[in-house]
Amino acid sequence: MYRSVRGMRDTILLIQDSSRSVFGVFNSSYYTVEDNYYGNGLSFVFKIEKKDKDVESRGQAPLQEIRGVEKYGWSGDNELFILCKSHSLAFGGGGDGGNAIRLDKNLCSGSTEKCATFSSPELSDVAEFKIYRVELWGPAPM
């Protein structure tokens, strides 16, 4: 999962799930398999406003209009920004909730919970989701 992002930082990970919710994370750190959380307060999570036609079109309608974006930056409550394990990738954690975004190693499924790191709510309409589309944008490694 991490081979294609080796040497990359300052990336935007964008996810569309099976409920057609669109959300993601700006990650300011490198992707490195670690035993502990790492990163910094420049990271943030976000969700993009969903329209009724997104559900009706089953995700096939192009985004032809500007949409609202809700951004959740670092709350200062903890420093649990990113956790890269061989079996999963997680952003945020702690508090009464859990990870803002957690993805399995195959990028097939994931979950979202209320998250103390970013003071964010669940970012999808469903807590446990199947990934419909996933994209990662960032500068080319040097």
Side-chain angles (χ1 to χ4, degrees), residues 21 27 29 49 82 88 104 119 124 132:
S21 296
N27 175 32
S29 300
E49 176 185 355
I82 181 172
S88 65
D104 73 358
S119 291
S124 173
Y132 182 70

Side-chain angles (χ1 to χ4, degrees), residues 35-106:
D35 290 332
N36 299 304
Y37 280 89
Y38 63 95
N40 61 55
L42 297 175
S43 297
F44 61 85
V45 296
F46 60 90
K47 67 179 178 177
I48 297 175
E49 176 185 355
K50 184 161 63 168
K51 303 282 188 177
D52 290 338
K53 69 181 178 182
D54 296 336
V55 176
E56 294 166 8
S57 74
R58 301 179 155 247
Q60 299 302 312
L63 297 178
Q64 297 179 345
E65 59 202 52
I66 294 176
R67 308 245 178 158
V69 176
E70 294 179 43
K71 175 189 171 239
Y72 304 94
W74 180 34
S75 67
D77 285 354
N78 63 45
E79 295 184 2
L80 307 176
F81 299 106
I82 181 172
L83 182 62
C84 293
K85 297 283 199 174
S86 60
H87 56 82
S88 65
L89 173 62
F91 297 94
D96 293 333
N99 303 122
I101 300 172
R102 187 202 57 76
L103 306 175
D104 73 358
K105 71 177 181 180
N106 298 318

